[in-house]
Each structure stands twice: as structure tokens, then as C-alpha cells.
Amino acid sequence: MATSNPEIAYEFLPLLRVYKDGHVERFLGTETLPAGFDPQTGVSSKDVNIIPETDVYARLYLPMKLTENSKNDKLPVVVYYHGGGFCLSTASSQNYHNYLNKLVAEAGIVAVSVNYRRPPENPLPVAYEDSWAALQWVASHKNGHGPEPWLNEHGDFGRLFMLGVSAGANIAHNVAMMAGNAASEVGVEILGVGLVHPFFWGSKSIGSEGVSVSTDLVSKSNNDRLWPFVCPSSPDNDDPRVNPVAEGAPSLVGLGCRRVLVSVAEKDLLRDRGWMYYEALGRSGWTGVVEIHEAKGEGHGFHLFNLDGENAKDLIRRLAAFFNS
């Protein structure tokens, strides 16, 4: 008798399962929320298709403090890249949506959360390409003549930032490296980049990576497997896109922004990579300003799961100051 149960091709537990018919079953980051008005923060959001040929969209956020004031009040523009190991979560994921409502309200920014395509259906570098295209779409509004009124009317493109968490921070770094390439055409200067718990890795362990400070999701074994899984065309954990300080990697002097804020968490397995990046950028000859902050007693992505915690509030305050200073 034929069975209706699809055959499993392979698994990356506890993240996802891939079936031979091409279907991908994700086990984490699947809870979503619609765009709209959030009464708790006064933030409005909407989804906009920004790359029609690939159905890549962005969720835009606008704070009430702006909508209640004059249209002449321009706010910093923050392009946001969500995390999830490149292969989980979306711009409509519950944790990211709730967090951005809080951040936008506190910081007084216009945020553009990019819904890039994900592995394994779309292996890297697709997410980098989508994220670069999204930045170019945002930059097309710099003179007030782009397709999106919220950006035309409310965005201050003299204060353009990128922000990412975990894999999203990795994307933000790599897009900034692309922006620093003289051959690239962004059309607008990126003032700063915020890297929260950035996913960087390497073939050799550093610092505390070999000891038991990890969680089930952020473990050394999972991290060793992740990059080869999401980027099968270049599975080396010393690929400069995942290990920007690897031997032979492009110099960080080419980072295409003026300011960088690195945020790490004391109990995050990725902590030491964040510190290494901060130190390497500082001695690279890059002429910008880099700062780092460590949240004591916290693990990876803590701010997404406890919005009212003191360390989460402190991170929002630091990001708000970074965007508005």
C-alpha cells in the first residue's frame, strides 16, 4: 500500500527538516504577526513588496511621535535584518515585530525590516543579494522621489543606518563591506551599522567556544554545521563572509560606514567572535568609530524574548543613542 507520508531528505535539528519533494518544515521562528497599528507603542507598520520579481518584501515601521508632528520632521532611517541562522524567521515573525515596535517607539526612527529569501530553498549568497537590493531600494528615496511615501516624507537620509541581530548582523556587516567597495553604487552614505550578537564563526575555536556556555540552539556543533548548510557553494567556515578576520579575508578598512556599534552577551557562545571583530576593526586602519557593549548574565538574542528586562531596555536605549547622536 502506498504511503502518504513524504520521505525525509535530510534534517538540521532542532531547526528544520527537508523532504524529498522539496518541502521544508521549520520548527522555530514560525509564529507571525500582521502589520498594522500597535496600540501599546503607537507604532504603525505595513508590508511593501520591494523586489517584485522575487517577492522580497519589507515591513516598514513609523512612530506615532512623528505622525503627530509636522511632516517636515525627518527621522533616522534604519534598515533591519532579522536573525534566525539565515534559514529561520521572517520580517513578520512575532519576536522581531514586537521588538521593532519597541525600538522604533523609543528611538524615534523609521525602520525597514527586510524579508530576504532563506536557505535551504535559496542558499547563500541569495540573502546577501536580496539585502543589498533592499538597501538600494531604500536609498532610492534619498531625494524624496522613491516609490514609498513613508520614506520620502519622513526619512532623513543623512542618517542612514543598518542594524542586524545574529545572522542578520552578519548580513549587515557583509552589506557594509559591499557598500565600501568603490565599484558599488549605493547612492547614499551609510552613517552607522549596529551588530547585535553577530554570527561570525571559524574553523578553529577561540575563547570559550569549547566549553559549556551554550544553549541547545547556539552550540558549537550547530555552529560548525550551519555555514556549510546555508552556503553549500562555499562550505568553509573560514569563508570571509562568516569569518571576516580569517587569513586572506578582505581588509576591514573597506567597511562602508562611519560608525559601528557591536553588542555582545556574556553567556552567548558568539561573544568572543564579537569581541574579536571589534578588536580587528579597531586596528585595521578603518577611519570610523567602533564601540562595544556587553550585556552581563545574558544569552544569545535575549532581548527578543524578554522585552521588559532591564538589559533589553538598556540595549534599546543604547541603540536609540547610536541612531540619534
Side-chain angles (χ1 to χ4, degrees):
M1 180 183 296
T3 177
S4 61
N5 293 330
E7 290 186 71
I8 297 172
Y10 56 91
E11 296 177 317
F12 194 130
L13 299 177
L15 307 183
L16 52 78
R17 177 180 292 141
V18 181
Y19 294 92
K20 289 186 177 179
D21 64 3
H23 170 65
V24 178
E25 183 180 13
R26 290 176 167 85
F27 302 118
L28 299 167
T30 58
E31 301 85 0
T32 62
L33 289 173
F37 178 72
D38 179 55
Q40 290 187 321
T41 60
V43 171
S44 296
S45 59
K46 63 179 176 180
D47 293 336
V48 178
N49 192 329
I50 61 174
I51 311 176
E53 57 270 27
T54 58
D55 291 326
V56 171
Y57 74 88
R59 180 163 290 188
L60 277 62
Y61 295 81
L62 194 67
M64 178 181 285
K65 67 174 67 174
L66 185 145
T67 58
E68 290 179 340
N69 294 328
S70 167
K71 287 186 177 181
N72 294 324
D73 292 336
K74 300 283 190 174
L75 298 182
V77 177
V78 178
V79 181
Y80 184 81
Y81 302 113
H82 69 79
F86 299 100
C87 57
L88 301 176
S89 299
T90 68
S92 62
S93 291
Q94 176 178 299
N95 289 338
Y96 292 102
H97 180 73
N98 289 336
Y99 184 74
L100 282 172
N101 278 330
K102 287 255 190 183
L103 177 63
V104 167
E106 177 76 19
I109 58 174
V110 181
V112 181
S113 181
V114 179
N115 194 69
Y116 51 83
R117 289 173 290 171
R118 304 169 297 176
E121 301 96 323
N122 297 281
L124 294 180
V126 169
Y128 295 132
E129 295 165 353
D130 287 349
S131 299
W132 173 253
L135 177 65
Q136 291 179 306
W137 179 85
V138 171
S140 74
H141 297 79
K142 65 178 181 178
N143 294 322
H145 303 299
E148 174 45 52
W150 281 10
L151 290 173
N152 289 332
E153 296 170 8
H154 305 304
D156 178 357
F157 286 88
R159 294 184 290 169
L160 176 63
F161 294 83
M162 293 190 296
L163 173 66
V165 59
S166 192
N170 174 290
I171 290 173
H173 158 75
N174 280 287
V175 172
M177 290 295 289
M178 296 167 71
N181 187 324
S184 68
E185 296 182 4
V186 184
V188 64
E189 182 181 35
I190 301 168
L191 182 55
V193 176
L195 306 176
V196 179
H197 311 164
F199 176 73
F200 298 131
W201 202 240
S203 61
K204 296 180 180 179
S205 296
I206 64 168
S208 61
E209 290 173 359
V211 300
S212 181
V213 296
S214 60
T215 67
D216 289 341
L217 296 182
V218 186
S219 66
K220 186 179 186 305
S221 60
N222 277 350
N223 282 1
D224 285 341
R225 297 168 55 208
L226 183 59
W227 180 259
F229 174 72
V230 298
C231 191
S233 63
S234 180
D236 186 353
N237 274 321
D238 287 325
D239 183 302
R241 291 169 294 185
V242 71
N243 185 2
V245 300
E247 184 177 353
S251 173
L252 295 176
V253 73
L255 195 69
C257 63
R258 286 195 278 155
R259 297 168 54 207
V260 171
L261 172 63
V262 182
S263 177
V264 298
E266 181 184 19
K267 294 184 178 181
D268 184 3
L269 185 64
L270 300 175
R271 168 192 178 274
D272 294 326
R273 296 283 171 177
W275 273 101
M276 176 180 282
Y277 177 89
Y278 162 76
E279 293 164 356
L281 181 59
R283 63 172 180 264
S284 69
W286 177 68
T287 58
V289 177
V290 59
E291 55 185 302
I292 191 167
H293 164 254
E294 180 170 326
K296 301 300 181 183
E298 300 288 4
H300 188 75
F302 71 89
H303 59 294
L304 298 171
F305 305 100
N306 182 16
L307 295 179
D308 295 320
E310 285 306 311
N311 282 330
K313 292 178 181 178
D314 180 63
L315 178 57
I316 283 183
R317 285 191 293 266
R318 289 177 184 273
L319 289 170
F322 182 66
F323 299 142
N324 286 285
S325 61

